[in-house]
Amino acid sequence: MAKANLRPVIGIDLGGTNMQIGVVDASGKILGRSKKKTRAEEGAAKVIQRIFDGIQEACDEAKVPTKSLLAVGIGAPGAIDPVTGVVLEAPNLRWNHVPLASTLAKRVGRPVYVDNDVRSAIYGEHQLGAGRGCSELMGVWIGTGIGGGLILRNELYHGHTNTAGEVGHMTLFPHMPPGSRSIENNCSRTSIVGRILTLIRTNHKSIVPKLADNDLTDVKARVVAMAFDRKDRVTLDVVEDAANILGIGIANMVTALGLQRVVIGGGLTEAMGERLVALVRRSVHAHAFPSVAKKVEVVKTELEADAGLLGAASLARKNVGRRAPRVVR
Amino acid sequence: MAKANLRPVIGIDLGGTNMQIGVVDASGKILGRSKKKTRAEEGAAKVIQRIFDGIQEACDEAKVPTKSLLAVGIGAPGAIDPVTGVVLEAPNLRWNHVPLASTLAKRVGRPVYVDNDVRSAIYGEHQLGAGRGCSELMGVWIGTGIGGGLILRNELYHGHTNTAGEVGHMTLFPHMPPGSRSIENNCSRTSIVGRILTLIRTNHKSIVPKLADNDLTDVKARVVAMAFDRKDRVTLDVVEDAANILGIGIANMVTALGLQRVVIGGGLTEAMGERLVALVRRSVHAHAFPSVAKKVEVVKTELEADAGLLGAASLARKNVGRRAPRVVR
């Protein structure tokens, strides 16, 4: 049994645009990889076929035969039932009630476990990254939206509704108009870019349009990071305000749960690094209940873009032997 | 062993003004009681002596010899270390680092367990009251302040810093002046009365001064409830606003933790009952993430003023056999 658990697992970070697939050994090392376009518009069956192909390619690169795999773990965007492995609702994939675990398990011949992508990433940090050794941990991922996840008493916490960790929906400005009240409304990369563009449209000078080659339809995290680095006034103001607000929301959770550590990750964090984390940290320490603020650590993701893949692999390894996925047809 | 656990336990709700002591049988029935003044100003030794005397009196009333008690449980106000039973800091008792569990255990000759008063009360609701059968539960107690506690995965959750459940400190109005930003600043009985008095001082008509016999130094929950019942405009406006704000803060926790049920208790809830809970419920359902709002229940305390005593008794019963209190001298 102990020996069986040393067999490699597959970890998959399934995104709306790309999927990252890796063969992961028992120490958390990635032995082989493949990356594919998701192409959600082609439908769930074809996406699952591409996942299957990607598993073969990653196994080939790792020189690991598929039949020696212990299990497959997938982090998927949206609302997931981790017990059945059904993707309940994933707007990014255009999926509704897709039995991902049981469909893929039939193809691969190994057990498949599915959980939410951000929760998987935070479990990855807990097992292999910035959350190691910490029993009470929150992860907050700053990207297109604000995602989050909780490790409580050393275990991934799902709550009654599998929404645990959704701090992005926290209301912080009850008297503001809808669309401006929540953490996500103020602190996601999308919201930060939106506020920068509003200021530019009202005649504030900024180098953002030039850095984005005058294409302001989809300003990337990389552009925000460059503008911040070059001390673009508008970008500094908006990012500092957003980090302060995010820190207040995190402080609320830190106090209410007595958390030990908070890991900050996601696309904007990967692009901006410690500069962004330092601003969030200062706000958390200023706003948490003093006896808690003294003890809480706010740190940057260590696993960065591999957090989701490694976390999904770790979850699969943990679940094997504990429970079989309940089959749903 | 099973038989030993059927022996009665003592449950104590230790407040800044009064202490409530009860002999509680294995089904949660109170067999005998005593109530005493706390008289914190006389110092910890005399308070602990009065606790000891109260235990004797309650045992006499219940016709239960002290030596047949299984254990003693105490809910105490302030910051508690539940592992050692030390009261770390309790401003209401003027206590700092008082080893309550070990001191009292030497007198009674039975193991003594101490936890925070509000957390004890919410554990009581989980075991015997409005939280029965619910694995993910939050309790919010509206009184002099706002207290709270969490049951996660069917167990009382303390967090890394033993502050878990302190929702009163949640910032909801980041841009307001200090003293107006948190849930407690807006929704405790103290804050509600303060806002009513401010409106009265600025010439708003109200029956509150008459109901309080013109003594506005310490307006009780009972007076607020009477004014609300008689549709006093100022009281209706302030209580409705406070309940709405409290509901937003609770909704933040319900979404972020995926909670199944919320129990509302405390002095103001006992005085106002379902009228207050209905206002909070409406706000929680309006502000929680829709898929979570559909499922969450918001209910009134069932155990009311006995929640703390019964919860402390339940915690003592649970802890016996699981762990001995670590002795601190």
Side-chain angles (χ1 to χ4, degrees):
Chain A
M1 192 61 197
K3 194 165 174 202
N5 281 333
L6 292 174
R7 286 156 56 189
V9 296
I10 292 285
I12 301 175
D13 186 356
L14 177 61
T17 310
N18 296 306
M19 57 177 87
Q20 303 275 355
I21 300 176
V23 180
V24 182
D25 75 9
S27 72
K29 198 178 147 198
I30 300 174
L31 307 175
R33 289 173 176 271
S34 90
K35 180 178 171 176
K36 291 189 164 300
K37 291 279 170 207
T38 304
R39 293 199 189 121
E41 68 281 5
E42 297 180 2
K46 293 208 170 158
V47 172
I48 294 173
Q49 177 62 46
R50 254 190 307 284
I51 295 175
F52 181 72
D53 295 342
I55 292 174
Q56 304 296 330
E57 290 169 23
C59 283
D60 288 348
E61 189 184 297
K63 298 192 169 63
V64 165
T66 318
K67 66 178 189 298
S68 77
L69 292 170
L70 183 64
V72 176
I74 306 179
I80 314 292
D81 181 340
V83 174
T84 58
V86 171
V87 178
L88 301 173
E89 198 185 345
N92 289 351
L93 297 173
R94 312 177 189 189
W95 285 10
N96 259 295
H97 282 82
V98 172
L100 175 58
S102 53
T103 308
L104 187 64
K106 267 180 257 168
R107 297 293 309 272
V108 186
R110 307 300 310 147
V112 176
Y113 300 90
V114 186
D115 210 320
N116 172 272
D117 55 351
V118 177
R119 250 83 85 204
S120 298
I122 288 153
Y123 189 72
E125 295 287 350
H126 180 249
Q127 293 296 304
L128 300 164
R132 276 194 309 270
C134 174
S135 61
E136 319 299 324
L137 175 78
M138 181 164 72
V140 177
W141 256 226
I142 315 170
T144 315
I146 297 278
L150 289 163
I151 307 286
L152 303 179
R153 296 192 193 104
N154 258 319
E155 299 238 17
L156 190 60
Y157 182 72
H158 289 92
H160 182 61
T161 50
N162 286 318
T163 58
E166 289 294 357
V167 288
H169 299 289
M170 185 186 286
T171 303
L172 275 190
F173 302 95
H175 296 335
M176 291 287 284
S180 309
R181 290 176 187 161
S182 74
I183 292 184
E184 186 163 282
N185 293 159
N186 286 278
C187 311
S188 67
R189 194 250 302 158
T190 318
S191 302
I192 288 173
V193 168
R195 290 164 73 188
I196 291 172
L197 297 185
T198 300
L199 287 168
I200 291 173
R201 275 195 298 272
T202 51
N203 295 322
H204 288 73
K205 285 207 166 60
S206 168
I207 58 169
V208 165
K210 197 181 149 205
L211 292 176
D213 297 327
N214 287 307
D215 177 6
L216 299 178
T217 50
D218 184 23
V219 176
K220 303 288 186 194
R222 186 179 45 79
V223 167
V224 176
M226 281 165 62
F228 187 90
D229 260 1
R230 299 191 191 174
K231 304 201 191 315
D232 179 63
R233 192 69 257 156
V234 163
T235 305
L236 287 175
D237 285 352
V238 170
V239 170
E240 284 172 6
D241 186 63
N244 183 54
I245 291 170
L246 181 61
I248 293 170
I250 293 174
N252 285 344
M253 293 296 288
V254 164
T255 302
L257 292 173
L259 298 173
Q260 186 175 3
R261 197 179 298 164
V262 180
V263 182
I264 311 292
L268 189 63
T269 312
E270 289 163 32
M272 295 193 61
E274 177 61 24
R275 291 163 292 179
L276 177 60
V277 175
L279 294 172
V280 176
R281 182 186 298 123
R282 191 171 63 191
S283 174
V284 173
H285 285 146
H287 292 100
F289 194 59
S291 65
V292 186
K294 263 191 292 187
K295 292 182 183 172
V296 70
E297 302 166 310
V298 180
V299 300
K300 192 176 73 66
T301 167
E302 275 182 24
L303 307 182
E304 307 229 330
D306 284 334
L309 184 168
L310 288 170
S314 297
L315 275 170
R317 189 177 294 284
K318 189 200 87 171
N319 283 324
V320 166
R322 280 216 196 177
R323 60 175 172 79
R326 197 197 301 161
V327 176
V328 172
R329 288 167 214 285
Chain B
M1 192 63 197
K3 196 166 176 201
N5 282 333
L6 292 176
R7 286 156 56 189
V9 296
I10 293 285
I12 302 176
D13 186 354
L14 177 60
T17 309
N18 295 305
M19 57 178 86
Q20 302 275 354
I21 299 175
V23 180
V24 182
D25 75 8
S27 72
K29 198 178 149 198
I30 300 173
L31 308 174
R33 289 173 176 270
S34 91
K35 180 179 173 176
K36 290 189 165 299
K37 292 278 172 207
T38 304
R39 294 200 188 118
E41 68 281 4
E42 295 179 4
K46 294 206 169 161
V47 172
I48 294 173
Q49 177 61 44
R50 252 190 307 284
I51 294 176
F52 181 72
D53 295 344
I55 291 173
Q56 305 296 329
E57 291 170 24
C59 283
D60 288 349
E61 191 184 298
K63 297 190 170 66
V64 165
T66 318
K67 66 178 189 296
S68 77
L69 292 171
L70 183 64
V72 176
I74 306 180
I80 313 294
D81 181 340
V83 174
T84 58
V86 172
V87 178
L88 301 173
E89 197 185 347
N92 289 353
L93 297 172
R94 312 178 190 191
W95 285 10
N96 259 294
H97 281 82
V98 172
L100 175 58
S102 53
T103 309
L104 186 65
K106 266 180 258 168
R107 297 292 311 272
V108 186
R110 306 302 309 148
V112 176
Y113 301 89
V114 186
D115 210 320
N116 170 272
D117 54 352
V118 177
R119 249 83 83 204
S120 298
I122 289 155
Y123 189 73
E125 295 287 351
H126 180 249
Q127 293 296 303
L128 301 164
R132 276 194 310 271
C134 174
S135 61
E136 320 298 324
L137 176 76
M138 182 166 71
V140 177
W141 256 226
I142 315 169
T144 316
I146 298 278
L150 289 163
I151 307 286
L152 303 180
R153 298 193 192 102
N154 258 319
E155 299 239 16
L156 190 61
Y157 182 73
H158 289 92
H160 182 61
T161 50
N162 286 318
T163 58
E166 287 296 356
V167 288
H169 300 289
M170 185 187 287
T171 303
L172 275 190
F173 301 95
H175 296 334
M176 290 286 284
S180 308
R181 290 177 187 159
S182 73
I183 293 183
E184 186 163 280
N185 291 159
N186 287 278
C187 312
S188 68
R189 193 252 300 157
T190 318
S191 302
I192 287 172
V193 167
R195 291 164 72 188
I196 291 172
L197 297 185
T198 300
L199 288 168
I200 292 172
R201 275 195 299 271
T202 51
N203 294 321
H204 289 72
K205 283 204 167 62
S206 168
I207 59 169
V208 165
K210 196 180 152 208
L211 293 175
D213 297 328
N214 287 307
D215 176 6
L216 299 179
T217 51
D218 183 24
V219 176
K220 304 288 187 195
R222 187 180 43 78
V223 168
V224 176
M226 281 164 63
F228 187 90
D229 259 2
R230 297 191 193 173
K231 304 201 190 313
D232 180 61
R233 190 70 256 156
V234 164
T235 304
L236 287 175
D237 285 351
V238 170
V239 170
E240 283 172 7
D241 185 62
N244 184 53
I245 292 171
L246 182 61
I248 293 170
I250 292 174
N252 285 344
M253 294 296 288
V254 164
T255 302
L257 291 174
L259 298 172
Q260 186 175 5
R261 198 179 297 163
V262 179
V263 182
I264 311 292
L268 189 62
T269 311
E270 289 162 31
M272 295 194 60
E274 177 61 23
R275 290 162 294 177
L276 177 60
V277 175
L279 294 173
V280 176
R281 182 186 299 122
R282 193 171 61 190
S283 174
V284 173
H285 284 148
H287 292 100
F289 193 60
S291 66
V292 186
K294 262 191 294 188
K295 292 182 182 171
V296 70
E297 301 166 312
V298 179
V299 299
K300 192 176 72 65
T301 167
E302 275 181 24
L303 308 181
E304 307 229 330
D306 285 334
L309 183 166
L310 288 170
S314 297
L315 275 171
R317 189 176 294 283
K318 189 199 86 169
N319 283 323
V320 166
R322 278 215 199 178
R323 60 176 173 79
R326 198 197 300 161
V327 175
V328 173
R329 285 167 215 287

